[in-house]
Amino acid sequence: MSASVSMAAAFALLSLAATDSLARTIEAPDRGAVRAVLIGIDLYRNVPPLHGAVADAEDLSLSLRSVGVEDMTLLKNGEADREGIFHAIEAVTERAGAGDLVVLGIAGHGSSEPERVKGSKPSGRDEVYVLAGFDTRLPGSRERIFGDEFKVLIHKLEAKGADVVFIADTCHAGGLTRDVDPRGAEITWRQAPSYTIEEDDLAPISTTADALSTGFDFKRLTFLAAVDDNTKSPEISIPGIPQKRGALSYATARAFEGAADRNGDGAVSRRELFEYVRQSVYQFTDQRQNIFTQSPPGTDLDRAVVYDYQGAGAQAAAEKSNAPPSAEPAPISVAALGTEPVLQGIEPAVTPFKLTDGANAELVFDPEKHEAIAGGDVVASGIGAGDMPFVVDRMAALDTLKRLSEVNPQTVRVTPSDTVHREGERVGVTISDLAGRKLVLFDVTGDGTVQFLYPGEKDAEAEMPTNFDLDLSVVAPFGTDLLVAVTSETPMPELVEFLKQNDRRRTAGNIASRLGDVLPEGARVGFTVLYTSAGAKL
């Protein structure tokens, strides 16, 4: 492991589970109906296309239908123009009544413009949702919706006595957690290129009061936005799903199906929803994206229920399985930079891979710099062509961990940030929600080496604190360290023995293929990656 580890401690028990969505029906917390308007836009007239926004809207629609939602409006691409969106939300508002829950979801490009009401935004800019027909000139300049206009629509739903879940899977501003290495495959972002409106006669439905409103003006809103002020929203690959997706929509769809019901009581609180989606997005995006969540100020997040389930599924929560996806994963695509066929004839270690060109490769080898690049990051350094099968195995292990943690995520975070950490820096990792649970901790390095970290012999009977903290010092070899935490209410001797047999061996492929078999039922799986580089911090 490229860090020296000292272990300290401390968080609180939230036993985790989910349910069989086929046997359960979702309902509003006041037993009203659940209704939805879902919007996805991939194809734009004058803005670069996206690849997964329509799939996001379709996925949310299918997940809600699977738990019994019938009042569903789905708008895709050109259907999702300004008039169509307003009409659909106004129509569902007419149908909504006291005690209902209305889910509003929009996936697509976002942007920002100079604020229309001076002094209304701390950044001086208004958030804008860019629609398919958008242009900087008329009539296309009418095809955008200001964030303040959604406030008007949500206020009208609240006036009917309905609760609202608003899922904004777009990006309006923000920076990059880490620079994207140009040697890897291109990343698509959900932030439209900057523009200047040349012709504009748009009269927003929002007023000055709407522009100045705050969270205190909403009483029944649960808001999830794709990013905070410091990150951007990439379109990502979900293991086992060929099409690019937005992590927020994907995670929220799984939450509606039952994955967010951590304690299996058939009711999902705001804390359960927020924490499930936050950790899932964090992991699926390789820590490039942190979501923003908001609820009415003063809300008790543990007592505020976002939605309930009724039916047999509420009792099935504790039966959630940690089994990996049944479909056989496709071989990982690998390319080498330069003209020499340096990877020809190299056989896989455990995970199959195929050679392709650099533009389409999931994993790229730079023979000149002896580095491997994936997802815009250097994942291994100081390696040769013969090491690439083990780096492939490390990628397969990461994919397996993403799928396993999608079911029961264990909260794991790097502090102070997820940037690339330089040689000699001190970095922390915190594993939360441990009281009353057992912990197993291991590491997979960028070159595919597995290291069993915890528990040691003297730790076997130790009572876990609520948080478990690692204090790390960045040392060679550089690239990535994939730190994995598995927690359970019971001891995990089979997992411990499995990790001991793989300790200090380049057997990441065994983690990819066998980890799901040795996890106890109901185990939580979480991970975080330390990105490291040689050279002092600039």
Side-chain angles (χ1 to χ4, degrees):
M1 178 179 180
S2 63
S4 62
V5 181
S6 67
M7 304 186 180
F11 207 79
L13 174 63
L14 290 169
S15 63
L16 182 58
T19 53
D20 178 1
S21 62
L22 295 177
R24 36 177 15 194
T25 300
I26 196 171
E27 60 183 10
D30 291 331
R31 301 298 183 263
V34 179
R35 311 175 191 274
V37 177
L38 304 170
I39 301 155
I41 305 172
D42 284 333
L43 303 179
Y44 292 83
R45 187 173 300 164
N46 299 291
V47 177
L50 294 172
H51 305 289
V54 169
D56 287 341
E58 292 173 335
D59 187 23
L60 283 166
S61 174
L62 289 171
S63 70
L64 288 167
R65 287 192 187 280
S66 76
V67 289
V69 176
E70 297 178 353
D71 186 341
M72 182 82 62
T73 303
L74 181 60
L75 300 175
K76 298 184 288 187
N77 291 325
E79 301 171 333
D81 60 8
R82 181 179 171 89
E83 181 180 359
I85 292 171
F86 282 173
H87 175 75
I89 297 176
E90 288 163 358
V92 82
T93 304
E94 285 293 318
R95 297 191 296 272
D100 287 356
L101 171 64
V102 177
V103 179
L104 302 178
I106 181 167
H109 271 305
S111 188
S112 66
E113 298 178 14
E115 59 187 358
R116 289 191 170 231
V117 177
K118 188 175 181 179
S120 62
K121 306 295 187 295
S123 65
R125 300 186 69 82
D126 284 325
E127 294 182 348
V128 179
Y129 298 84
V130 178
L131 308 180
F134 172 74
D135 194 359
T136 58
R137 295 177 179 271
L138 291 171
S141 58
R142 298 171 188 145
E143 290 303 312
R144 66 201 207 275
I145 298 176
F146 289 89
D148 289 338
E149 296 185 280
F150 273 109
K151 293 180 182 179
V152 176
L153 302 171
I154 292 167
H155 272 306
K156 290 180 179 180
L157 283 163
E158 287 196 347
K160 294 291 294 286
D163 289 343
V164 179
V165 173
F166 184 27
I167 308 152
D169 202 346
T170 64
C171 185
H172 303 282
L176 293 175
T177 303
R178 302 181 302 279
D179 289 337
V180 177
D181 196 302
R183 293 173 291 176
E186 184 179 355
I187 296 177
T188 303
W189 305 93
R190 289 192 173 174
Q191 181 174 335
S194 60
Y195 57 81
T196 300
I197 299 294
E198 299 171 78
E199 298 175 349
D200 190 13
D201 64 358
L202 183 65
I205 63 172
S206 53
T207 66
T208 298
D210 295 312
L212 296 173
S213 65
T214 68
F216 285 92
D217 296 291
F218 297 92
K219 307 301 181 187
R220 309 177 73 93
L221 172 64
T222 301
F223 181 42
L224 299 103
V227 291
D228 58 16
D229 291 337
N230 301 313
T231 58
K232 293 174 67 173
S233 177
E235 293 200 302
I236 61 164
S237 295
I238 302 289
I241 297 176
Q243 189 169 16
K244 294 281 189 178
R245 297 295 306 278
L248 174 62
S249 295
Y250 183 84
T252 309
R254 308 291 77 77
F256 285 141
E257 292 169 350
D261 186 7
R262 303 189 73 175
N263 58 10
D265 64 354
V268 174
S269 69
R270 282 198 175 104
R271 187 180 302 281
E272 286 178 313
L273 178 63
F274 290 165
E275 291 190 354
Y276 172 80
V277 175
R278 182 177 292 113
Q279 185 67 20
S280 295
V281 169
Y282 180 75
Q283 295 181 163
F284 272 121
T285 62
D286 298 324
Q287 298 159 233
R288 288 190 179 276
Q289 182 178 342
N290 284 298
I291 68 167
F292 172 80
T293 60
Q294 188 175 55
S295 57
T299 300
D300 185 329
L301 295 180
D302 292 305
R303 296 175 64 88
V305 174
V306 184
Y307 51 88
D308 288 301
Y309 297 102
Q310 63 177 359
Q315 296 302 317
E319 299 173 10
K320 190 182 215 181
S321 170
N322 285 106
S326 56
E328 196 68 28
I332 291 172
S333 58
V334 181
L337 299 181
T339 58
E340 296 296 321
V342 295
L343 298 179
Q344 294 292 337
I346 294 178
E347 296 295 324
V350 175
T351 307
F353 63 88
K354 61 180 181 180
L355 299 183
T356 184
D357 61 85
N360 299 312
E362 299 168 81
L363 179 64
V364 175
F365 174 55
D366 185 337
E368 183 176 335
K369 293 189 175 181
H370 302 284
E371 292 177 334
I373 302 96
D377 291 299
V378 174
V379 296
S381 60
I383 60 170
D387 297 306
M388 287 301 290
F390 302 105
V391 183
V392 168
D393 283 348
R394 180 262 181 204
M395 282 195 65
L398 178 59
D399 283 352
T400 293
L401 289 163
K402 287 180 177 180
R403 296 310 300 264
L404 293 175
S405 64
E406 172 187 325
V407 182
N408 275 346
Q410 170 63 50
T411 302
V412 186
R413 289 281 168 151
V414 173
T415 58
S417 71
D418 296 295
T419 60
V420 176
H421 298 283
R422 301 286 180 169
E423 184 175 9
E425 281 188 60
R426 306 297 298 185
V427 185
V429 175
T430 296
I431 306 156
S432 306
D433 293 354
L434 291 178
R437 301 183 72 83
K438 301 295 184 181
L439 170 67
V440 172
L441 186 66
F442 66 95
D443 172 59
V444 182
T445 65
D447 70 356
T449 301
V450 178
Q451 297 186 22
F452 174 51
L453 301 176
Y454 185 89
E457 295 296 332
K458 64 181 180 180
D459 304 309
E461 302 301 322
E463 184 175 338
M464 293 303 301
T466 49
N467 282 356
F468 191 96
D469 297 318
L470 308 181
D471 178 31
L472 311 175
S473 178
V474 177
V475 296
F478 305 107
T480 56
D481 276 294
L482 176 57
L483 279 162
V484 185
V486 181
T487 71
S488 174
E489 294 180 346
T490 58
M492 296 173 274
E494 188 176 2
L495 174 60
V496 169
E497 180 59 29
F498 171 72
L499 292 171
K500 285 181 177 179
Q501 291 186 17
N502 286 279
D503 187 34
R504 292 172 294 175
R505 300 173 63 200
R506 297 179 80 174
T507 52
N510 292 344
I511 300 298
S513 61
R514 295 291 312 280
L515 182 61
D517 298 334
V518 296
L519 294 178
E521 187 173 319
R524 300 180 194 166
V525 179
F527 64 88
T528 192
V529 180
L530 297 181
Y531 296 90
T532 62
S533 177
K537 186 176 181 180
L538 299 177

